[in-house]
Amino acid sequence: MVKRVVASAPGKIILFGEHAVVYGEPAVAVAIDRRARVIVEERGDFEVRISAPDLSLEAGFDLERGFSEDSFSFFEIPQRLKNVVRAVEVSLNACNLKRGLNIEINSDIPPSAGLGSSASVAVATVAAVGKCLTGDSWESEKVSKLAFEAEKIVHGTPSGIDNTISAYGGGIIFQQGKIERLDIGAQVSIIIGDTKVERSTKKLVSHVRSICEKYPSIGLPIIRLIGSLTLEGIESLKMGDFEGLGELMDINQGLLDAVGVSHLSLSKMIFAAREAGAYGAKLSGAGGGGCMIALTSPENAKNVLEAIEMSGGRAVPAAFSMRGVTVESEE
Ligand code: MEV
């Protein structure tokens, strides 16, 4: 029986369709080469100890006391580790086992930045617990489905796109839980600009919902328009029409701004990237701070990167990753 397992899962960027995807519209996501790594060890008792040394967070609870959200032990868990607790719970249930575990989380995905850090942690946790307790490497589909339960703790009404792209890797078109693989060519560069402004996906998703409820004849058509432009974007992507892709990213940004999920820090970086010659630029993820992305020719990537830095962001070239959830080692 496997006793110690390391599993990892990637973060993501969304090229088109965030927020609208929550309403059943299609979205396009791509896995990036930043990952969360989770180490799981069997303890031999009924305690679960979770630590995230990067964030100086620790939590512990007794399996005998149960997982109920109303239970005292759950409220002792720091907010940022609640999704891990849920990921452990659903994984133990899927194994039909009650076993104490040590869980250590490390990640090079900035948290609360729109790069899917919480989903990657949940996906890697599920895969590592499953492998540790059953000896099996669970399919991406199963890992994603279980991690989705953990995402609900963090995001309220998530679409499931973050856990799905993290489990599968590569590029996907995601709509209502269904995925289609998408090949993202290497002839184009994407620069990620991090505003370093942390925000809550849950709050931003509920802000969009309040706009749609208050102004249904305005909010909902904007959501549908984002869906239509995502379909156009997929065509441009398939044809390698980067000018068209950039234009559609700019329109997508305008529509996201219209439903109130942009931020001054994002706008500054987005306009700077466009002025530096990017094909297009938009926020990626929930917005409200977090990250923006700029699409550029490889020759112009340095200019765009510098422009984003000059406007106050931390810029990094995004390297796509085909690798989804992976069991890295087992002892
Ligand atoms: C978050 O990465 C993307 C959102 O559309 C929320 C979701 O799909 O669950 C804002």
Side-chain angles (χ1 to χ4, degrees):
M1 182 64 78
V2 173
K3 296 289 179 214
R4 184 181 190 272
V5 169
V6 183
S8 71
K12 62 94 198 14
I13 51 174
I14 295 183
L15 285 183
F16 293 108
E18 50 274 271
H19 287 289
V21 69
V22 174
Y23 298 81
E25 297 296 329
V28 177
V30 182
I32 56 172
D33 70 342
R34 291 186 166 231
R35 301 182 77 84
R37 277 185 186 76
V38 174
I39 305 167
V40 172
E41 272 174 352
E42 251 194 275
R43 287 174 57 89
D45 59 13
F46 290 109
E47 269 187 43
V48 174
R49 294 274 174 91
I50 302 169
S51 67
D54 304 345
L55 302 172
S56 305
L57 290 177
E58 281 189 9
F61 61 96
D62 189 345
L63 285 176
E64 310 270 47
R65 290 171 70 184
F67 283 100
S68 158
E69 198 165 338
D70 301 327
S71 83
F72 180 59
S73 63
F74 196 84
F75 281 104
E76 287 171 334
I77 309 291
Q79 187 61 31
R80 278 222 169 114
L81 296 182
K82 285 189 177 174
N83 68 327
V84 185
V85 174
R86 183 80 176 127
V88 173
E89 177 187 8
V90 293
S91 306
L92 287 174
N93 286 345
C95 302
N96 214 3
L97 289 170
K98 201 190 259 188
R99 298 270 171 79
L101 300 166
N102 286 329
I103 297 176
E104 186 183 309
I105 294 151
N106 297 289
S107 175
D108 54 19
I109 310 165
S112 307
L115 299 179
S117 111
S118 64
S120 320
V121 167
V123 164
T125 302
V126 168
V129 173
K131 180 75 181 176
C132 185
L133 295 186
T134 67
D136 296 334
S137 291
W138 287 343
E139 296 290 324
S140 302
E141 189 182 351
K142 177 168 181 172
V143 173
S144 173
K145 203 166 156 223
L146 293 173
F148 184 52
E149 297 306 314
E151 278 289 273
K152 290 182 196 163
I153 296 278
V154 194
H155 298 322
T157 55
S159 63
I161 192 170
D162 289 9
N163 46 285
T164 304
I165 186 64
S166 183
Y168 284 83
I172 58 166
I173 304 167
F174 178 93
Q175 188 167 24
Q176 293 180 330
K178 297 202 171 55
I179 64 165
E180 191 185 317
R181 291 277 189 182
L182 192 62
D183 188 20
I184 308 286
Q187 318 92 300
V188 75
S189 296
I190 290 197
I191 311 290
I192 300 175
D194 185 355
T195 62
K196 294 173 273 177
V197 176
E198 289 198 11
R199 77 298 169 280
S200 145
T201 296
K202 193 174 187 168
K203 282 192 190 144
L204 288 150
V205 168
S206 68
H207 176 74
V208 173
R209 191 167 300 283
S210 71
I211 295 280
C212 290
E213 280 168 7
K214 195 167 174 191
Y215 309 107
S217 64
I218 298 168
L220 292 173
I222 291 176
I223 295 295
R224 303 293 165 237
L225 266 180
I226 294 177
S228 304
L229 85 78
T230 298
L231 294 178
E232 290 279 348
I234 293 165
E235 286 313 305
S236 304
L237 206 52
K238 287 181 178 166
M239 288 180 331
D241 171 12
F242 300 128
E243 302 273 351
L245 259 179
E247 213 161 49
L248 289 163
M249 285 170 72
D250 291 346
I251 300 172
N252 196 164
Q253 171 60 22
L255 296 173
L256 288 166
D257 211 344
V259 290
V261 294
S262 195
H263 188 269
L264 180 60
S265 59
L266 283 167
S267 295
K268 280 184 184 165
M269 290 157 61
I270 287 166
F271 278 96
R274 289 175 188 159
E275 269 170 35
Y279 293 125
K282 62 181 275 292
L283 67 84
S284 178
C291 288
M292 52 75 73
I293 52 173
L295 186 80
T296 169
S297 63
E299 305 77 58
N300 201 32
K302 189 166 171 287
N303 282 346
V304 172
L305 192 138
E306 281 169 4
I308 292 171
E309 296 252 322
M310 292 288 286
S311 57
R314 187 157 41 91
V316 277
F320 301 144
S321 174
M322 291 308 294
R323 206 155 63 96
V325 63
T326 307
V327 171
E328 297 195 349
S329 69
E330 53 189 279
E331 287 162 19

